[in-house]
Coordinates of all heavy atoms in Angstrom, one line a residue:
Q43 N 82.0 -70.2 -24.8 CA 83.0 -69.1 -24.7 C 82.6 -68.2 -23.5 O 81.4 -67.9 -23.3 CB 83.0 -68.3 -26.0 CG 84.1 -67.2 -26.0 CD 84.1 -66.3 -27.2 OE1 83.4 -66.6 -28.2 NE2 84.9 -65.3 -27.1
S44 N 83.6 -67.9 -22.8 CA 83.4 -67.0 -21.6 C 82.6 -65.8 -21.9 O 82.9 -65.1 -22.9 CB 84.7 -66.7 -21.0 OG 84.5 -65.9 -19.8
G45 N 81.5 -65.5 -21.2 CA 80.7 -64.3 -21.4 C 79.7 -64.4 -22.5 O 78.9 -63.5 -22.7
A46 N 79.6 -65.6 -23.1 CA 78.7 -65.7 -24.3 C 77.2 -65.5 -23.9 O 76.4 -65.0 -24.6 CB 78.8 -67.1 -24.9
G47 N 76.9 -65.8 -22.6 CA 75.5 -65.7 -22.2 C 75.1 -64.5 -21.4 O 73.9 -64.2 -21.1
V48 N 76.1 -63.7 -21.2 CA 75.9 -62.5 -20.2 C 74.8 -61.6 -20.7 O 74.0 -61.2 -20.0 CB 77.3 -61.8 -20.0 CG1 77.0 -60.5 -19.3 CG2 78.2 -62.6 -19.2
G49 N 74.8 -61.3 -22.0 CA 73.8 -60.4 -22.6 C 72.4 -60.9 -22.4 O 71.4 -60.1 -22.6
S50 N 72.2 -62.2 -22.2 CA 70.9 -62.8 -22.1 C 70.6 -63.2 -20.6 O 69.6 -63.9 -20.3 CB 70.8 -64.0 -22.9 OG 70.9 -63.7 -24.3
G51 N 71.6 -62.8 -19.7 CA 71.3 -63.1 -18.3 C 71.9 -64.4 -17.8 O 71.6 -64.8 -16.7
F52 N 72.8 -65.0 -18.6 CA 73.4 -66.3 -18.1 C 74.9 -66.1 -17.9 O 75.6 -65.9 -18.8 CB 73.1 -67.4 -19.1 CG 71.7 -67.6 -19.4 CD1 71.1 -67.4 -20.7 CD2 70.8 -68.0 -18.4 CE1 69.8 -67.5 -21.0 CE2 69.4 -68.2 -18.7 CZ 68.9 -68.0 -20.0
E53 N 75.3 -66.2 -16.6 CA 76.7 -66.1 -16.3 C 77.5 -67.4 -16.6 O 76.9 -68.5 -16.6 CB 76.9 -65.8 -14.8 CG 76.2 -64.5 -14.4 CD 76.9 -63.2 -14.9 OE1 78.1 -63.3 -15.3 OE2 76.2 -62.2 -15.0
D54 N 78.8 -67.3 -16.7 CA 79.6 -68.5 -17.0 C 79.3 -69.6 -15.9 O 79.3 -70.8 -16.2 CB 81.1 -68.2 -16.9 CG 81.5 -67.4 -18.2 OD1 80.7 -67.2 -19.1 OD2 82.7 -66.9 -18.2
E55 N 79.2 -69.1 -14.6 CA 79.1 -70.1 -13.5 C 77.8 -70.9 -13.7 O 77.8 -72.1 -13.3 CB 79.0 -69.3 -12.1 CG 80.2 -68.6 -11.7 CD 80.6 -67.4 -12.6 OE1 79.7 -66.7 -13.2 OE2 81.8 -67.1 -12.7
E56 N 76.8 -70.3 -14.2 CA 75.5 -71.1 -14.4 C 75.7 -72.2 -15.4 O 75.2 -73.3 -15.3 CB 74.4 -70.2 -14.7 CG 73.0 -70.7 -14.3 CD 71.9 -69.7 -14.7 OE1 72.1 -68.5 -14.8 OE2 70.8 -70.2 -14.8
Y57 N 76.4 -71.9 -16.5 CA 76.7 -72.9 -17.5 C 77.6 -74.0 -16.9 O 77.3 -75.2 -17.1 CB 77.5 -72.3 -18.7 CG 76.6 -71.5 -19.6 CD1 76.7 -70.1 -19.7 CD2 75.7 -72.1 -20.5 CE1 75.9 -69.4 -20.6 CE2 74.9 -71.4 -21.3 CZ 75.0 -70.1 -21.4 OH 74.2 -69.4 -22.3
M58 N 78.6 -73.6 -16.1 CA 79.5 -74.6 -15.5 C 78.7 -75.5 -14.5 O 79.0 -76.7 -14.5 CB 80.7 -73.9 -14.8 CG 81.7 -73.3 -15.7 SD 82.7 -72.0 -15.0 CE 83.6 -72.8 -13.8
A59 N 77.8 -74.9 -13.8 CA 77.1 -75.7 -12.8 C 76.2 -76.7 -13.5 O 75.8 -77.7 -12.9 CB 76.2 -74.7 -12.0
N60 N 75.9 -76.5 -14.8 CA 75.1 -77.5 -15.5 C 76.0 -78.4 -16.4 O 75.4 -79.1 -17.3 CB 74.0 -76.8 -16.3 CG 73.0 -76.3 -15.4 OD1 72.2 -77.1 -14.9 ND2 73.0 -75.0 -15.0
G61 N 77.3 -78.3 -16.2 CA 78.2 -79.3 -16.9 C 79.0 -78.7 -18.1 O 79.8 -79.5 -18.7
A62 N 78.9 -77.4 -18.4 CA 79.6 -76.9 -19.5 C 81.1 -76.6 -19.1 O 81.3 -76.3 -17.9 CB 79.0 -75.7 -20.1
D63 N 82.0 -76.6 -20.1 CA 83.3 -76.1 -19.8 C 83.4 -74.7 -20.5 O 82.9 -74.5 -21.6 CB 84.4 -77.0 -20.5 CG 84.5 -78.3 -19.7 OD1 84.6 -78.2 -18.5 OD2 84.5 -79.4 -20.3
I64 N 84.0 -73.8 -19.8 CA 84.2 -72.4 -20.3 C 85.5 -72.3 -21.0 O 86.5 -72.7 -20.4 CB 84.0 -71.4 -19.2 CG1 82.6 -71.6 -18.5 CG2 84.1 -70.0 -19.7 CD1 81.4 -71.3 -19.3
L65 N 85.5 -71.7 -22.2 CA 86.8 -71.5 -22.8 C 87.0 -69.9 -23.0 O 86.0 -69.3 -23.2 CB 86.9 -72.2 -24.2 CG 86.9 -73.7 -24.1 CD1 86.8 -74.3 -25.5 CD2 88.1 -74.2 -23.4
A66 N 88.2 -69.5 -23.0 CA 88.4 -68.0 -23.0 C 88.1 -67.4 -24.4 O 87.6 -66.3 -24.4 CB 89.8 -67.7 -22.5
T67 N 88.5 -68.1 -25.4 CA 88.4 -67.4 -26.7 C 87.5 -68.2 -27.7 O 87.3 -69.4 -27.6 CB 89.8 -67.3 -27.4 OG1 90.2 -68.7 -27.6 CG2 90.8 -66.6 -26.5
A68 N 87.0 -67.4 -28.7 CA 86.2 -68.0 -29.8 C 87.0 -69.0 -30.6 O 86.5 -70.1 -30.9 CB 85.7 -66.9 -30.7
D69 N 88.3 -68.7 -30.8 CA 89.2 -69.7 -31.6 C 89.2 -71.0 -30.9 O 89.1 -72.1 -31.6 CB 90.6 -69.1 -31.6 CG 90.7 -68.0 -32.7 OD1 89.9 -68.0 -33.6 OD2 91.6 -67.2 -32.5
E70 N 89.3 -71.1 -29.6 CA 89.3 -72.4 -28.9 C 88.0 -73.1 -29.0 O 88.0 -74.3 -29.2 CB 89.6 -72.1 -27.4 CG 91.0 -71.6 -27.0 CD 91.1 -71.2 -25.6 OE1 90.8 -70.0 -25.3 OE2 91.5 -72.0 -24.7
V71 N 86.9 -72.4 -28.9 CA 85.6 -73.0 -29.0 C 85.4 -73.6 -30.4 O 85.0 -74.8 -30.6 CB 84.4 -72.0 -28.7 CG1 83.1 -72.6 -29.0 CG2 84.5 -71.5 -27.3
W72 N 85.7 -72.8 -31.5 CA 85.5 -73.3 -32.8 C 86.5 -74.5 -33.1 O 86.1 -75.4 -33.8 CB 85.8 -72.2 -33.9 CG 84.7 -71.2 -34.0 CD1 84.5 -70.1 -33.2 CD2 83.7 -71.2 -35.0 NE1 83.4 -69.4 -33.7 CE2 82.9 -70.0 -34.8 CE3 83.4 -72.0 -36.1 CZ2 81.8 -69.7 -35.6 CZ3 82.3 -71.7 -36.9 CH2 81.5 -70.5 -36.7
A73 N 87.7 -74.4 -32.5 CA 88.7 -75.5 -32.8 C 88.2 -76.8 -32.2 O 88.4 -77.9 -32.8 CB 90.0 -75.1 -32.2
K74 N 87.6 -76.8 -31.0 CA 87.2 -78.0 -30.3 C 85.9 -78.6 -30.9 O 85.7 -79.8 -30.9 CB 87.0 -77.7 -28.9 CG 88.3 -77.7 -28.1 CD 88.0 -77.9 -26.6 CE 89.2 -77.8 -25.7 NZ 90.2 -78.8 -25.9
A75 N 84.9 -77.8 -31.4 CA 83.6 -78.2 -31.6 C 83.4 -79.0 -32.9 O 83.9 -78.7 -33.9 CB 82.6 -77.0 -31.6
E76 N 82.5 -80.1 -32.7 CA 82.1 -80.8 -33.9 C 80.8 -80.1 -34.5 O 80.5 -80.0 -35.6 CB 81.7 -82.2 -33.6 CG 82.9 -83.1 -33.2 CD 82.5 -84.4 -32.6 OE1 82.4 -84.4 -31.4 OE2 82.4 -85.4 -33.3
M77 N 80.0 -79.5 -33.5 CA 78.8 -78.7 -33.9 C 78.9 -77.4 -33.2 O 79.0 -77.3 -32.0 CB 77.5 -79.4 -33.5 CG 76.3 -78.4 -33.7 SD 74.7 -79.2 -33.7 CE 74.5 -79.7 -32.0
I78 N 78.9 -76.3 -34.1 CA 78.9 -75.0 -33.5 C 77.4 -74.5 -33.5 O 76.7 -74.7 -34.5 CB 79.7 -74.0 -34.4 CG1 81.2 -74.2 -34.2 CG2 79.3 -72.5 -34.2 CD1 81.8 -73.7 -32.9
M79 N 77.0 -74.0 -32.4 CA 75.6 -73.4 -32.3 C 75.8 -71.9 -32.1 O 76.5 -71.5 -31.2 CB 74.8 -74.0 -31.1 CG 74.4 -75.5 -31.4 SD 73.4 -76.1 -30.1 CE 71.9 -75.1 -30.4
K80 N 75.1 -71.2 -33.1 CA 75.2 -69.7 -33.0 C 73.8 -69.2 -33.1 O 72.8 -69.9 -33.3 CB 76.1 -69.2 -34.2 CG 77.5 -69.2 -33.9 CD 78.3 -68.6 -35.0 CE 77.9 -67.3 -35.5 NZ 78.0 -66.2 -34.5
V81 N 73.7 -67.8 -33.1 CA 72.4 -67.2 -33.4 C 72.5 -66.5 -34.8 O 71.7 -66.9 -35.7 CB 72.1 -66.1 -32.4 CG1 70.8 -65.4 -32.7 CG2 72.0 -66.8 -31.0
K82 N 73.4 -65.6 -35.0 CA 73.6 -64.9 -36.3 C 74.6 -65.6 -37.2 O 75.4 -66.4 -36.7 CB 74.0 -63.5 -36.0 CG 73.0 -62.6 -35.3 CD 71.7 -62.6 -35.9 CE 71.6 -61.6 -37.1 NZ 70.2 -61.5 -37.6
E83 N 74.5 -65.3 -38.5 CA 75.4 -65.9 -39.4 C 76.8 -65.5 -39.1 O 77.1 -64.4 -38.5 CB 75.1 -65.4 -40.9 CG 75.4 -63.9 -41.2 CD 74.4 -62.9 -40.6 OE1 73.5 -63.3 -39.9 OE2 74.7 -61.7 -40.8
P84 N 77.8 -66.3 -39.5 CA 79.2 -66.0 -39.2 C 79.5 -64.7 -40.0 O 79.0 -64.4 -41.1 CB 80.0 -67.1 -39.8 CG 79.1 -68.3 -39.9 CD 77.7 -67.7 -40.1
I85 N 80.3 -63.8 -39.3 CA 80.8 -62.6 -40.0 C 82.2 -62.8 -40.4 O 82.9 -63.8 -40.0 CB 80.5 -61.3 -39.2 CG1 81.3 -61.4 -37.9 CG2 79.1 -61.1 -39.0 CD1 81.2 -60.0 -37.1
A86 N 82.8 -61.8 -41.2 CA 84.1 -62.1 -41.8 C 85.2 -62.7 -40.9 O 85.8 -63.6 -41.3 CB 84.6 -60.8 -42.4
E87 N 85.3 -62.2 -39.7 CA 86.4 -62.7 -38.8 C 86.1 -64.1 -38.3 O 87.0 -64.8 -37.8 CB 86.7 -61.7 -37.6 CG 85.5 -61.6 -36.6 CD 86.0 -60.8 -35.4 OE1 86.7 -61.2 -34.6 OE2 85.5 -59.6 -35.4
E88 N 84.9 -64.6 -38.5 CA 84.5 -66.0 -38.1 C 84.7 -67.0 -39.3 O 84.8 -68.2 -39.0 CB 83.1 -66.0 -37.6 CG 82.9 -65.3 -36.3 CD 81.5 -65.2 -35.8 OE1 80.6 -64.8 -36.7 OE2 81.2 -65.5 -34.7
Y89 N 84.8 -66.5 -40.5 CA 84.8 -67.4 -41.7 C 86.0 -68.4 -41.5 O 85.8 -69.6 -41.7 CB 85.0 -66.6 -43.0 CG 83.9 -65.7 -43.4 CD1 84.1 -64.7 -44.4 CD2 82.6 -65.8 -42.9 CE1 83.1 -63.9 -44.8 CE2 81.6 -64.9 -43.3 CZ 81.9 -64.0 -44.2 OH 80.9 -63.1 -44.7
K90 N 87.1 -67.8 -41.1 CA 88.3 -68.7 -41.1 C 88.3 -69.7 -40.0 O 89.1 -70.7 -40.0 CB 89.6 -67.8 -41.0 CG 89.6 -67.0 -39.7 CD 90.9 -66.2 -39.6 CE 91.0 -65.5 -38.2 NZ 89.9 -64.9 -37.6
R91 N 87.4 -69.5 -39.1 CA 87.3 -70.5 -37.9 C 86.5 -71.7 -38.3 O 86.6 -72.8 -37.7 CB 86.6 -69.8 -36.7 CG 87.4 -68.6 -36.2 CD 86.8 -68.1 -34.9 NE 87.6 -67.0 -34.4 CZ 87.1 -65.8 -34.0 NH1 85.8 -65.6 -34.1 NH2 87.9 -64.8 -33.6
C92 N 85.6 -71.6 -39.3 CA 84.8 -72.8 -39.8 C 85.8 -73.8 -40.5 O 86.6 -73.4 -41.3 CB 83.8 -72.5 -40.8 SG 82.7 -71.1 -40.3
R93 N 85.6 -75.1 -40.2 CA 86.5 -76.0 -40.9 C 85.7 -77.1 -41.6 O 84.6 -77.3 -41.3 CB 87.5 -76.6 -39.9 CG 86.9 -77.4 -38.8 CD 87.9 -78.3 -38.0 NE 87.1 -79.2 -37.2 CZ 86.7 -78.8 -36.0 NH1 86.9 -77.7 -35.4 NH2 86.0 -79.7 -35.3
P94 N 86.4 -77.8 -42.6 CA 85.7 -78.8 -43.3 C 85.1 -79.9 -42.4 O 85.7 -80.3 -41.4 CB 86.8 -79.4 -44.2 CG 87.8 -78.4 -44.3 CD 87.8 -77.6 -43.0
G95 N 83.8 -80.2 -42.7 CA 83.2 -81.3 -41.9 C 82.6 -80.8 -40.6 O 81.9 -81.6 -39.9
Q96 N 82.8 -79.6 -40.3 CA 82.2 -79.0 -39.0 C 80.7 -78.6 -39.3 O 80.4 -77.9 -40.3 CB 83.0 -77.8 -38.5 CG 82.6 -77.3 -37.2 CD 83.6 -76.2 -36.7 OE1 83.9 -75.3 -37.5 NE2 84.0 -76.3 -35.5
L97 N 79.8 -79.0 -38.4 CA 78.4 -78.6 -38.5 C 78.2 -77.2 -37.8 O 78.6 -77.0 -36.7 CB 77.6 -79.7 -37.8 CG 76.1 -79.4 -37.7 CD1 75.4 -79.3 -39.1 CD2 75.4 -80.6 -36.9
V98 N 77.6 -76.3 -38.6 CA 77.3 -75.0 -38.0 C 75.8 -74.8 -38.1 O 75.2 -74.8 -39.2 CB 78.0 -73.9 -38.8 CG1 77.7 -72.5 -38.1 CG2 79.5 -74.2 -38.9
F99 N 75.1 -74.7 -36.9 CA 73.7 -74.6 -36.8 C 73.3 -73.2 -36.3 O 73.6 -72.9 -35.2 CB 73.2 -75.7 -35.8 CG 71.7 -75.9 -35.8 CD1 70.9 -75.8 -36.9 CD2 71.1 -76.3 -34.6 CE1 69.5 -76.0 -36.8 CE2 69.8 -76.5 -34.5 CZ 69.0 -76.3 -35.6
T100 N 72.8 -72.4 -37.2 CA 72.5 -71.0 -36.9 C 71.6 -70.3 -37.9 O 71.2 -71.0 -38.9 CB 73.8 -70.2 -36.8 OG1 73.6 -68.9 -36.3 CG2 74.5 -70.1 -38.2
Y101 N 71.2 -69.1 -37.8 CA 70.6 -68.3 -38.9 C 71.7 -68.0 -39.9 O 72.7 -67.5 -39.5 CB 70.0 -67.0 -38.4 CG 68.7 -67.1 -37.6 CD1 68.6 -66.6 -36.3 CD2 67.5 -67.7 -38.1 CE1 67.5 -66.7 -35.5 CE2 66.4 -67.7 -37.3 CZ 66.3 -67.2 -36.1 OH 65.2 -67.3 -35.3
F102 N 71.4 -68.2 -41.1 CA 72.4 -67.8 -42.2 C 71.9 -66.7 -43.1 O 72.6 -65.8 -43.5 CB 72.8 -69.0 -43.0 CG 73.9 -69.9 -42.4 CD1 73.5 -71.1 -41.8 CD2 75.2 -69.6 -42.4 CE1 74.5 -71.9 -41.2 CE2 76.2 -70.4 -41.8 CZ 75.8 -71.6 -41.2

Side-chain angles (χ1 to χ4, degrees):
Q43 185 183 349
S44 179
V48 170
S50 298
F52 303 116
E53 300 290 337
D54 290 353
E55 292 68 31
E56 206 178 336
Y57 283 111
M58 282 157 67
N60 286 286
D63 287 314
I64 303 293
L65 294 173
T67 64
D69 283 333
E70 291 169 274
V71 173
W72 283 83
K74 278 201 188 291
E76 294 166 272
M77 169 163 71
I78 286 287
M79 289 186 68
K80 273 180 58 59
V81 177
K82 296 303 282 185
E83 73 283 358
I85 60 174
E87 67 175 282
E88 293 173 310
Y89 296 164
K90 60 178 189 316
R91 297 187 180 131
C92 309
R93 61 166 191 274
Q96 187 173 44
L97 173 61
V98 185
F99 189 35
T100 188
Y101 287 122
F102 279 102

